[in-house]
Amino acid sequence: MAGIIDFISLYWDTLLEIGILWVTYYMLFLILSGTMAEQVMKGIIIIVVIVAVTREINLVIINWILTKLLPLSVVAFFIIFQPELRRGLARLGRFGGNNGKKAAIGEISKATMVLSKKKVGGLIAIERKVGLRRYVESGVGIDAEVTSELINTIFVTSSPLHDGGIIISGDRIEAAACLFPLTQNTNIPKTVGTRHRAAIGLSEETDSIVIVVSEETGNISVAIGGRITRDLEPKNVSKFLEGILLPRHREKNISFNSPSFCLDNKEEL
Ligand SMILES: Nc1ncnc2c1ncn2[C@@H]1O[C@H](COP(=O)(O)OP(=O)(O)OP(=O)(O)O)[C@@H](O)[C@H]1O
C-alpha cells in the first residue's frame, strides 16, 4: 500500500496527464463511434504506437517520417471530419436529460401501438452508445423531434420513406428508409422475414434497440444483442424501453433479457 502511495506521489503529474488523455480519447471515441472518423482515429492511434516502437528500437528513418506525418494527420483529421464531430457533440448534448428520453419513449410506444393496431410494418432503431451514422447515411436524413405522428406518417405504405427503418438518436428521428444489415444467424427459422432479420442484424452489430412491427400480424418484437423477443404486448413497450434506456429503471435491474420482462413473450429466438 505504501509503495502505491509513493508511486502516485512521485508520478502524480504523469498519471494525471495519462488520465486526461484517456478521457479525451474516450469522449472523442463516443462522439465519433459508428462513423468513418472512428476508423481513422484508430489508424492514428496505431501510428502513435508505431512511432513509439520505432523510437525505442532506433529505426531512425521510419521514425522521422512518421513523426512528420503525425501532426499533419491530426490536423487533417479535425478538418476532414468536422461535420461528424459537430454532429457527435450535438448528439452527446441530447443524451443529457432523462425528460427528453422519456418523452421520446412515450412517442415511440404510442407510434408502435398505432402501427400494430393498423398492421402497418415498422422498423425503429434506437441508438445507444454505438453510433449508427453509417446506417443513417444509407437512408434519408430527417433530423426532427420524435413524435408518434411523424413515425406513423413515415411508415404508411403510400409514403416514399416507408421501406427500410428509421433511426432515433436521443429525442430526434435522424433518418428514415435506412438499410440495416441482415443477420447471418443460421439458427433463425426460414419463416422469419427480412424486416425481422434486419432488426436482429443491426442489434448484433451495434448495441441499439430495434423495434419491429409486423405488417402481416401487427405483432411487436424487439431485438437487442442479436436476440429478438417476439409478440410484446403493445401496452408494455413503453415500460420495456424505459427499463433499458432510463438509468433510474436500470438500477432496478429491469433489462431486456430479464425474466420479469419476458412474461408477455410468446416466443424468443
Ligand atoms: N436490410 C433491410 N434494412 C431495413 N429494412 C429492410 C431490410 N430488408 C427489408 N426491410 C424492410 O422489410 C420489408 C419486407 O419485410 P418482409 O415481409 O420481408 O419481412 P417480415 O420480417 O416478414 O416482416 P412482416 O411481418 O412485416 O411481413 C421491406 O419492405 C423493407 O421495408
Side-chain angles (χ1 to χ4, degrees):
M1 189 66 190
I4 295 173
I5 294 172
D6 283 348
F7 181 81
I8 292 174
S9 55
L10 204 62
Y11 295 107
W12 69 269
D13 47 351
T14 314
L15 291 173
L16 183 68
E17 273 182 305
I18 291 173
I20 292 171
L21 281 173
W22 177 245
V23 170
T24 312
Y25 177 75
Y26 183 68
M27 294 298 285
L28 258 178
F29 195 79
L30 274 190
I31 290 170
L32 296 171
S33 64
T35 67
M36 265 300 286
E38 180 192 341
Q39 310 304 324
V40 177
M41 207 170 94
K42 285 180 187 162
I44 291 177
I45 298 297
I46 291 170
I47 297 180
V48 172
V49 173
I50 297 174
V51 167
V53 172
T54 51
R55 183 176 302 153
E56 276 308 304
I57 58 176
N58 260 337
L59 297 178
V60 182
I61 298 173
I62 296 177
N63 183 262
W64 183 84
I65 294 171
L66 289 178
T67 316
K68 299 287 167 219
L69 257 183
L70 199 56
L72 261 181
S73 51
V74 171
V75 173
F77 174 83
F78 282 101
I79 294 172
I80 295 169
F81 293 111
Q82 188 247 347
E84 278 84 354
L85 283 164
R86 206 182 49 227
R87 274 197 297 257
L89 282 170
R91 184 153 57 88
L92 269 194
R94 288 206 293 267
F95 280 136
N98 267 358
N99 288 346
K101 266 192 220 168
K102 201 166 178 180
I105 290 170
E107 293 298 315
I108 296 166
S109 318
K110 230 194 296 174
T112 315
M113 272 191 225
V114 177
L115 291 173
S116 165
K117 203 168 156 202
K118 294 187 174 168
K119 292 195 181 170
V120 174
L123 184 61
I124 304 169
I126 305 173
E127 187 182 58
R128 292 165 86 190
K129 283 209 175 81
V130 177
L132 299 178
R133 178 104 331 245
R134 80 177 67 131
Y135 305 107
V136 165
E137 277 157 13
S138 69
V140 177
I142 299 230
D143 192 20
E145 198 182 323
V146 176
T147 62
S148 64
E149 290 81 3
L150 182 53
I151 297 176
N152 287 311
T153 306
I154 289 171
F155 285 119
V156 286
T157 39
S158 55
S159 151
L161 299 179
H162 82 278
D163 253 339
I166 65 169
I167 293 181
I168 292 175
S169 171
D171 59 357
R172 313 286 293 175
I173 299 178
E174 291 272 318
C178 301
L179 278 179
F180 299 162
L182 297 181
T183 180
Q184 301 301 322
N185 187 341
T186 48
N187 294 325
I188 294 172
K190 296 268 182 295
T191 49
V192 174
T194 51
R195 200 190 311 273
H196 291 81
R197 285 175 185 274
I200 300 168
L202 186 67
S203 79
E204 281 168 349
E205 299 209 358
T206 69
D207 62 351
S208 56
I209 300 168
V210 193
I211 306 167
V212 195
V213 181
S214 166
E215 192 169 32
E216 223 173 285
T217 61
N219 286 345
I220 302 168
S221 307
V222 180
I224 299 183
R227 296 179 68 189
I228 190 163
T229 299
R230 310 197 71 180
D231 303 351
L232 263 161
E233 282 291 320
K235 63 178 166 42
N236 283 346
V237 173
S238 155
K239 244 185 173 182
F240 183 88
L241 294 177
E242 282 178 9
I244 299 161
L245 293 167
L246 300 181
R248 189 169 52 83
H249 292 258
R250 267 208 299 269
E251 276 160 25
K252 290 184 196 162
N253 207 18
I254 300 171
S255 71
F256 177 75
N257 289 321
S258 87
S260 61
F261 248 105
C262 289
L263 283 177
D264 294 310
N265 302 331
K266 297 188 181 77
E267 190 183 350
E268 191 175 326
L269 295 172

